[in-house]
Amino acid sequence: VDGASFIFIGGKKIPWNGPKTQVTSPVFDNKTGTRTIIGELSKMDADTAVEAAQAAKKAWDQGQGEWPLASLAKRISAIESYLSVLSERRTEIIETLMWEIAKNTNDATKEFDRTVAFAQAVIQSLRTENEIDIYAQEFTQIGNVRAIVKRGPIGITLMVAPFNYPLNEMYAMMIPALLTGNIVILKLPATGALPHILAIDALMSTLPKGVVNYVTGKGRETLPAIMSTGIIDALGFIGSSKGADALIKAHPHPHRLKVFSQLEGKNMGIVFPDADLDLTVKQLMLGALSYNGQRCTAIKLILVHDDIADALVSALANAIEALPRGLPWDE
């Protein structure tokens, strides 16, 4: 997948002659003994990343741009068209997920299909909400404040998603933001970026210029540069609390920044002495090792009562040893 001969800014593929990064698969080439090269990415520097932010600022135009001023019906129509065109590359994107992040066929297929289904659900929810007469809506109350809520754009949003669900997690932030009229900058993950490269043509053919912009390269170089401009109105970040804190502090007006973050955590499995051992092992295996444990919701700690600790450890070890090894496309 070629993501190195151009950068995607302002709705255009701009030729790129700068540094490039090879994208390799976890799958090794038996002939060379090295990881298989499956693509390349442009390695943007801080100045180029700021150009992406400037393109987003132009598309926003202080809330007077084509996209933020468009009606909800028009934005829904555009996103539906985008999903339709994107789905034409479904097979290619699924195969790329398998090669790049080693998801098996079932998991990679689920990621694409669940992403599209989520987008369609958001569209339906907004349609339903929009059909309700504003004067017939119920008031929402928080503390001593009562209000009727209408959804509208905030501005320019910077979104940073992880490698393990590169499509699903990014689109879970991007689709609601786009539908409500926001402009988006996507910082593609170093691993898991290629499915997004395959989506560029669909974006170009269905959305106005500059509504979605890509940033590739080292996050530690590109992201602080973007944040320090003060252009960003909202940050969507999935990663470590240390990384999130650093980006928030880099913004000149952090008190005005809207933040959506999903950060690290230790999910625990707690096993009581009367637990069914076979069922417990099955559920722990599912919770801890689905997609090889590379999920933020994966079980990372197991607390077991002393009475059954030895038996559980033995049964769990046997179950892990019995797991099949193979390539993503193996049955």
Side-chain angles (χ1 to χ4, degrees):
V1 177
D2 174 24
S5 64
F6 61 88
I7 54 177
F8 181 53
I9 293 177
K12 297 181 291 184
K13 291 181 179 179
I14 302 172
W16 176 257
N17 296 311
K20 304 174 183 179
T21 303
Q22 283 188 338
V23 180
T24 59
S25 171
V27 178
F28 274 71
D29 186 331
N30 288 331
K31 293 180 180 179
T32 64
T34 59
R35 290 167 63 130
T36 304
I37 298 171
I38 58 173
E40 288 185 318
L41 287 175
S42 54
K43 190 177 181 181
M44 295 167 66
D45 56 21
D47 290 340
T48 313
V50 169
E51 289 180 22
Q54 293 293 346
K57 182 180 180 181
K58 182 179 179 180
W60 172 246
D61 192 20
Q62 296 183 321
Q64 300 303 299
E66 178 184 353
W67 189 252
L69 287 181
S71 66
L72 177 60
K74 187 173 182 179
R75 292 198 295 263
I76 285 176
S77 178
I79 296 299
E80 287 182 326
S81 295
Y82 170 65
L83 294 174
S84 177
V85 177
L86 182 70
S87 294
E88 294 174 6
R89 306 196 76 168
R90 175 179 179 270
T91 299
E92 193 176 356
I93 290 172
I94 289 170
E95 289 177 350
T96 302
L97 286 168
M98 293 167 65
W99 274 98
E100 190 171 7
I101 60 175
K103 284 196 168 177
N104 62 35
T105 306
N106 186 49
D107 285 346
T109 301
K110 273 188 194 176
E111 173 155 3
F112 184 90
D113 291 347
R114 190 173 67 170
T115 299
V116 173
F118 168 80
Q120 292 169 338
V122 174
I123 288 171
Q124 184 55 45
S125 177
L126 284 173
R127 271 204 180 108
T128 302
E129 185 178 282
N130 195 56
E131 289 169 357
I132 300 174
D133 185 343
I134 185 172
Y135 297 107
Q137 288 183 0
E138 294 184 1
F139 278 88
T140 297
Q141 182 164 346
I142 301 176
N144 293 323
V145 177
R146 298 179 74 238
I148 291 176
V149 178
K150 290 292 285 183
R151 303 186 190 280
I154 293 172
I156 301 166
T157 63
L158 173 62
M159 298 175 177
V160 186
F163 81 95
N164 55 343
Y165 287 86
L167 203 65
N168 188 256
E169 293 287 4
M170 190 73 90
Y171 278 47
M173 296 186 287
M174 183 182 83
I175 294 298
L178 288 176
L179 285 167
T180 48
N182 296 284
I183 306 300
V184 172
I185 303 170
L186 302 185
K187 168 57 181 76
L188 305 189
T191 302
L194 296 185
H196 293 289
I197 299 299
L198 296 175
I200 289 176
D201 289 341
L203 290 169
M204 291 176 63
S205 66
T206 56
L207 300 184
K209 292 180 179 180
V211 172
V212 177
N213 305 273
Y214 282 4
V215 172
T216 54
K218 290 185 177 180
R220 292 184 180 182
E221 182 177 357
T222 56
L223 293 176
I226 293 173
M227 293 297 286
S228 65
T229 65
I231 289 174
I232 302 303
D233 299 298
L235 171 67
F237 184 87
I238 301 173
S240 71
S241 56
K242 183 178 179 181
D245 287 344
L247 290 179
I248 293 168
K249 289 176 182 177
H251 198 287
H253 309 291
H255 60 289
R256 296 193 335 222
L257 181 68
K258 308 293 184 184
V259 179
F260 166 79
S261 60
Q262 296 182 43
L263 309 176
E264 70 273 355
K266 292 294 184 185
N267 308 300
M268 294 189 295
I270 302 174
V271 185
F272 291 95
D274 60 347
D276 180 306
L277 194 61
D278 291 338
L279 179 60
T280 298
V281 169
K282 182 179 179 180
Q283 292 301 311
L284 290 175
M285 293 286 289
L286 180 64
L289 296 178
S290 176
Y291 183 37
N292 297 322
Q294 297 178 126
R295 298 181 302 131
C296 57
T297 55
I299 293 175
K300 300 173 182 68
L301 296 171
I302 303 173
L303 303 182
V304 191
H305 194 279
D306 283 343
D307 289 353
I308 61 167
D310 291 341
L312 180 67
V313 169
S314 177
L316 198 55
N318 290 335
I320 292 172
E321 184 61 31
L323 286 173
R325 279 78 166 169
L327 296 171
W329 44 87
D330 290 343
E331 292 294 334

